[in-house]
Amino acid sequence: MQQEPARVPKQAKQVGGLRARWAWTEASVWTDRMLAALENGVKGEVWFSLIDKVYNPKNLWAAWSKSARNKGAAGVDGIIIEQYERQAESNLRHLSEQLKLGTYQPKAIRRTYIPKPDGTQRPLGIPTVTDRIVQGAIRQVIEPIFEKQFAAQSYGFRPGRSCRDALRRVQQLLREGHRYVVDADLKSYFDTIPHQRLMAQVAKRVADGRVLKLIESFLDAKVMDQTEQWTPSAGAPQGAVLSPLLSNIYLDPLDQQMAQSGYQMVRYADDFVILCKTKEQAQSALETVAAWTAQAGLVLHPDKTRIVDSRFESFEFLGYRFERGRRFPRDKSMVKLRDAIRAKTGRCDGRMLQVIIADVNRTLRGWFEYFKYSYRHVFLRVDKWVRGRLRSLLRKRHKHGGIATWGDRQRWPNAYFTGQGLISLKQAHARARQSVKAAH
């Protein structure tokens, strides 16, 4: 006789489902009891007594582990991950004690710059390894509190959400007839977030004064740019662990207002579009956003904010260009890719062909990982162009000048480069589409 399977108590099922819904949270902080309180709601939706969760050694160790995996450059103290790791246990024990006693003070943020496609430079703030750990520990404590109430149309820097989800939503809305697009741009958003107003937003959910003071100390930390040093009066530095969460907290009231007004907004960090069915609705949506940003101390970029009729005009979102219902990498992204490939396929490059191809593959894989949701013809064109670069290189090695010709395509057919290990973006795209279909 077959034995009847043991029954799972209802309470156990509920606990298991609770943990599954919040699987991304740090278990040493967000116990089943804490998660139950989060879902059921605490009095006034305000959380007290959180500092002990921040300096919990297990929480600090988890934050350190994430920092170690992410690597990252040294801050103003010059200490890199590998140096910190040598004495991680004692370092974290000392850090926990400092946080418990209230003697911990963040160090200055090192300012560095990365080039943007338009030729300008984007400023990044690099905290020290220790400060990154503390910010990570704070984030692990407070993020679920805010995540519970964030609006659905926000996708950036949120657990279980991605750029792909935001792009899908835009595509869906276009298919449903939302052809008028408010293409908005917040001017220097991360550098202009007002500190006092941001902290007021945080304090609506977090009432632990010591945690609030810690967060404020990171916002007020000095910035060092080579020999210059100053204390910022606004902004949340890009590169800091807490900044993505804080940026979402500050824009959440806009998300909520737009949703309550019936507007279809899709936001990823400070990049957002609003899709409407009529031009009048789009104009009204833009006026609503302009009024909100003005009272929030933010600025809509006058030259980059516009209303687009997607039937006749293209618009850009998250590095993609939406045109006639299809997605393409924006022109700047294509230029950047070609420049990177050109640098690796110069006709005078003396490396073995297989070494060059392995180098090219690294660039192609990284680019494809982000732009794999583009229209399929994009990948055909990129494959053809890359093979043309390699044929020109081989032509030079065989004492012929100029770029590749039709005869070179017969001499070195596509199959030749496949045999040398060159990846095909066309095939990679087909495999990605099959995986998506299989998942659904």
Side-chain angles (χ1 to χ4, degrees):
M1 182 178 176
Q2 187 175 6
Q3 186 176 2
E4 184 179 346
R7 294 180 181 273
V8 179
K10 183 178 180 181
Q11 186 178 6
K13 286 183 180 179
Q14 291 174 341
V15 170
L18 182 69
R19 178 56 62 186
R21 288 192 295 276
W22 297 92
W24 56 271
T25 59
E26 171 52 40
S28 65
V29 174
W30 289 95
T31 61
D32 292 340
R33 180 172 169 274
M34 287 270 290
L35 289 177
L38 180 66
E39 286 207 348
N40 295 331
V42 295
K43 186 176 181 180
E45 295 297 326
V46 181
W47 290 74
F48 297 83
S49 304
L50 295 173
I51 189 65
D52 60 313
K53 312 293 189 302
V54 175
Y55 64 68
N56 181 332
K58 290 182 179 179
N59 184 36
L60 290 175
W61 189 268
W64 150 246
S65 298
K66 288 179 182 177
S67 292
R69 286 195 300 271
N70 293 336
K71 299 296 182 181
V76 293
D77 60 1
I79 296 175
I80 59 176
I81 290 290
E82 289 75 13
Q83 290 173 292
Y84 195 94
E85 190 171 21
R86 292 178 198 138
Q87 295 182 307
E89 193 170 338
S90 61
N91 285 337
L92 293 173
R93 190 164 52 245
H94 178 61
L95 180 57
S96 176
E97 193 65 20
Q98 282 184 307
L99 290 166
K100 186 176 182 179
L101 296 173
T103 58
Y104 168 82
Q105 286 293 326
K107 288 186 168 57
I109 293 171
R110 182 170 67 85
R111 172 66 61 91
T112 186
Y113 298 88
I114 57 172
K116 294 172 66 176
D118 61 4
T120 60
Q121 291 188 313
R122 183 189 304 278
L124 287 182
I126 310 298
T128 65
V129 174
T130 301
D131 291 343
R132 296 203 293 266
I133 293 169
V134 177
Q135 289 192 38
I138 295 171
R139 180 170 181 166
Q140 287 168 176
V141 171
I142 71 171
E143 185 170 28
I145 296 170
F146 292 95
E147 182 61 31
K148 182 195 172 189
Q149 52 94 32
F150 278 157
Q153 67 265 37
S154 164
Y155 294 88
F157 310 119
R158 293 185 60 188
R161 289 170 169 249
S162 67
C163 163
R164 176 184 177 183
D165 298 319
L167 293 169
R168 273 182 174 173
R169 180 59 179 157
V170 171
Q171 198 80 51
Q172 178 188 359
L173 289 167
L174 289 171
R175 284 197 301 266
E176 292 174 356
H178 295 77
R179 73 186 204 212
Y180 291 97
V181 181
V182 179
D183 186 3
D185 184 273
L186 289 172
K187 190 175 182 180
S188 303
Y189 172 62
F190 279 88
D191 292 331
T192 57
I193 303 173
H195 287 176
Q196 284 190 333
R197 295 179 185 180
L198 170 60
M199 290 307 302
Q201 282 297 113
V202 177
K204 288 181 180 180
R205 295 284 180 269
V206 174
D208 188 316
R210 292 181 61 186
V211 172
L212 293 173
K213 186 178 178 181
L214 264 180
I215 296 171
E216 198 164 13
S217 70
F218 284 116
L219 293 173
D220 294 339
K222 285 184 169 55
V223 176
M224 291 187 65
D225 188 347
Q226 296 181 349
T227 57
E228 294 184 38
Q229 180 173 294
W230 70 91
T231 300
S233 58
Q238 295 187 69
V241 180
L242 265 175
S243 292
L245 174 60
L246 295 177
S247 71
N248 275 336
I249 290 172
Y250 197 65
L251 287 180
D252 185 64
L254 173 62
D255 297 339
Q256 304 288 356
Q257 181 176 335
M258 298 304 285
Q260 290 166 10
S261 300
Y263 295 118
Q264 298 293 343
M265 185 167 83
V266 182
R267 182 174 69 80
Y268 194 100
D270 59 333
D271 196 359
F272 64 91
V273 288
I274 307 162
L275 293 97
C276 307
K277 290 190 173 181
T278 67
K279 189 173 183 179
E280 292 74 21
Q281 186 185 32
Q283 187 61 49
S284 176
L286 178 55
E287 290 170 2
T288 300
V289 171
W292 188 90
T293 52
Q295 64 83 28
L298 304 175
V299 177
L300 281 175
H301 200 297
D303 300 325
K304 296 181 180 180
T305 300
R306 62 196 181 118
I307 295 175
V308 172
D309 185 339
S310 63
R311 296 176 303 168
F312 310 112
E313 302 171 89
S314 64
F315 66 95
E316 295 181 354
F317 182 56
L318 298 181
Y320 282 81
R321 186 179 80 254
F322 286 77
E323 187 174 335
R324 298 186 301 277
R326 291 170 175 166
R327 290 194 297 252
F328 301 85
R330 65 179 184 172
D331 293 342
K332 290 177 182 178
S333 302
M334 294 301 298
V335 169
K336 188 176 180 180
L337 172 66
R338 290 194 181 103
D339 287 346
I341 297 296
R342 283 192 187 98
K344 297 182 176 186
T345 57
R347 279 179 280 178
C348 295
D349 194 321
R351 295 178 296 170
M352 291 176 57
L353 181 62
Q354 287 182 330
V355 173
I356 292 173
I357 286 175
D359 198 8
V360 167
N361 282 346
R362 282 190 286 272
T363 297
L364 291 176
R365 286 193 183 98
W367 181 86
F368 178 76
E369 186 57 34
Y370 189 82
F371 289 106
K372 60 187 174 186
Y373 312 116
S374 300
Y375 182 52
R376 65 180 184 277
H377 286 182
V378 169
F379 308 108
L380 290 171
R381 291 197 294 268
V382 173
D383 282 342
K384 181 179 178 180
W385 184 82
V386 170
R387 288 192 295 262
R389 291 289 303 177
L390 294 172
R391 288 187 181 107
S392 295
L393 182 151
L394 291 172
R395 181 180 172 85
K396 173 74 173 178
R397 290 184 178 182
H398 286 75
K399 311 301 181 186
H400 298 291
I403 61 174
T405 64
W406 177 255
D408 295 321
R409 295 192 188 101
Q410 295 177 313
R411 191 175 188 180
W412 298 294
N414 295 352
Y416 171 79
F417 295 108
T418 301
Q420 296 294 313
L422 180 67
I423 64 173
S424 165
L425 295 187
K426 174 188 172 183
Q427 293 178 3
H429 180 248
R431 287 193 298 270
R433 285 179 61 85
Q434 288 173 354
S435 297
V436 171
K437 288 178 181 178
H440 290 80

